[in-house]
Amino acid sequence: GYRVSLQGNFFGHNHTYTTFPEYNPRKHIKLDPPLNIQSNATASKCQIWWSVWNVPWYLAEILQYELQYKEYSKSWEVALNKTLPSSLPQVDIEATELRSSIAYAARVRCKVSENENSYHSQWSEWSQTTVFQRADVPKVPEKILNAKTMQFLFIPLSFGTLLYLFWNCKLSSRSRQKASPALTFPRQLLSFSHSIVCTMGILR
């Protein structure tokens, strides 16, 4: 530690003022801002990374970063802030947090983690900005979408139709004593099987 004092001559008298009785430099650190901030945006997320300069290795491992990002056309006063949980110089922003077809700007700053007892620092200045835009999700062609929808609906509809035919045959056998269920159900089932084959041919 150090003792920091201020000396001066005021109105012909020398005075000494003790500014810091015990000053420890490791408790009053201000780091340089991060450098080389870059970004890469896809349809699912945006990756942002950077580097730090003039930081000893024992401090680089205990750094804490704060990311700030906003729509490019808006002020930093309305920007969103994220304090990153890791000391790694990178972060991912999920696509759900970004609006489609809108350009964004991001910047980052750093300091020693608040969980560290041996060192203490204030936030550095903000880094330069990087600009990115979420990639649009490719649209599924309408014909493919309709075909998939028909395939999903085909199974429950087929099952429901089979149950209906079975129940209908059961009721018919009770109401018509002369009618033979063994003959009525196979005919209806054969007719339904023919319709299934035709439908599958259309889907293909």
Side-chain angles (χ1 to χ4, degrees):
Y2 296 85
R3 179 181 179 182
V4 181
S5 59
L6 177 65
Q7 295 181 350
N9 188 299
F10 301 96
F11 302 102
H13 299 281
N14 292 328
H15 295 276
T16 301
Y17 298 95
T18 302
T19 309
F20 298 101
E22 186 177 352
Y23 180 83
N24 195 334
R26 67 171 58 195
K27 298 290 187 178
H28 301 81
I29 300 173
K30 184 173 182 179
L31 301 169
D32 293 323
L35 300 173
N36 303 323
I37 182 170
Q38 301 179 57
S39 58
N40 180 40
T42 64
S44 60
K45 63 182 178 180
C46 175
Q47 296 177 313
I48 302 176
W49 65 95
W50 57 88
S51 59
V52 291
W53 178 79
N54 200 24
V55 178
W57 63 268
Y58 51 86
L59 288 183
E61 295 179 350
I62 57 174
L63 288 184
Q64 179 180 357
Y65 295 100
E66 183 178 29
L67 176 75
Q68 190 176 61
Y69 67 98
K70 67 177 182 68
E71 293 184 17
Y72 186 79
S73 59
K74 294 186 178 180
S75 169
W76 286 108
E77 295 179 355
V78 297
L80 298 175
N81 290 55
K82 278 191 174 185
T83 301
L84 310 185
S86 172
S87 61
L88 296 176
Q90 63 185 43
V91 64
D92 292 344
I93 302 178
E94 298 299 327
T96 54
E97 303 180 45
L98 306 173
R99 295 172 58 190
S100 179
S101 303
I102 298 294
Y104 286 82
R107 61 185 185 180
V108 67
R109 61 180 181 176
C110 63
K111 72 172 183 176
V112 175
S113 174
E114 295 179 354
N115 298 326
E116 180 62 36
N117 296 324
S118 301
Y119 300 91
H120 186 270
S121 74
Q122 56 180 305
W123 284 111
S124 70
E125 301 297 330
W126 288 105
S127 69
Q128 295 182 344
T129 61
T130 180
V131 179
F132 57 92
Q133 181 175 326
R134 190 187 81 178
D136 292 333
V137 179
K139 296 182 179 179
V140 180
E142 187 175 354
K143 292 183 178 180
I144 298 178
L145 186 62
N146 290 338
K148 289 184 176 180
T149 304
M150 288 297 296
Q151 290 177 1
F152 282 122
L153 293 176
F154 179 75
I155 295 176
L157 287 176
S158 302
F159 183 71
T161 305
L162 284 173
L163 288 177
Y164 171 77
L165 291 175
F166 178 76
W167 185 255
N168 189 31
C169 290
K170 197 171 182 181
L171 292 177
S172 298
S173 63
R174 292 179 180 178
S175 60
R176 297 180 181 178
Q177 303 256 338
K178 297 180 180 180
S180 175
L183 296 176
T184 305
F185 180 71
R187 289 179 181 177
Q188 294 180 346
L189 182 60
L190 181 63
S191 176
F192 177 68
S193 300
H194 178 69
S195 65
I196 290 178
V197 173
C198 294
T199 305
M200 291 298 293
I202 294 174
L203 290 177
R204 290 180 181 176

